[in-house]
Amino acid sequence: SIASADMDLNQLEAFLTAQTKKQGGITSDQAAVIAKFWKNHRTEIHESLISQSRWDNVLKNMNWRVDLKSQLRHIDQINTPVAIVEMELGKNGQ
């Protein structure tokens, strides 16, 4: 929960306090250890979660346009916008 929410120190303190008051929760000593660990390793944990959730492919280029239909068989379809999106994917790090 702490890592997925990327909690700041105030959020962390409130979360750990709630966990210590919970039936079957953690002790205040355990909360202190978790808080110290999070303070020292927050950046590395966050970067690790991001790299694990990233796809192998990355977006290299994107082109888009919006077309309006100006001539159709039925009048209610005229000026209907149509979005055309072209995405170029590549391998991460290449």
Side-chain angles (χ1 to χ4, degrees):
S1 295
I2 296 167
S4 63
D6 194 28
M7 293 184 184
D8 63 23
L9 297 180
N10 292 331
Q11 292 170 322
L12 176 66
E13 184 178 332
F15 177 77
L16 292 176
T17 300
Q19 294 301 310
T20 59
K21 294 180 181 180
K22 209 179 196 183
Q23 180 73 23
I26 61 177
T27 66
S28 56
D29 289 338
Q30 290 171 325
V33 169
I34 292 170
K36 184 176 181 181
F37 182 82
W38 181 247
K39 289 174 190 175
N40 291 332
H41 299 287
R42 177 181 178 188
T43 305
E44 293 89 359
I45 294 169
H46 185 69
E47 291 299 321
S48 175
L49 287 175
I50 289 173
S51 69
Q52 290 174 28
S53 65
R54 195 177 294 150
W55 295 340
D56 286 340
N57 292 328
V58 294
L59 183 63
K60 294 283 191 179
N61 190 19
M62 186 175 99
N63 296 310
W64 65 275
R65 73 176 195 246
V66 176
D67 292 344
L68 292 176
K69 296 178 182 180
S70 61
Q71 195 173 34
L72 287 168
R73 188 178 311 179
H74 302 289
I75 192 76
D76 62 336
Q77 293 178 339
I78 292 179
N79 292 331
T80 303
V82 176
I84 299 172
V85 179
E86 177 185 11
M87 294 185 283
E88 179 185 352
L89 301 176
K91 289 289 183 188
N92 194 11
Q94 294 179 354

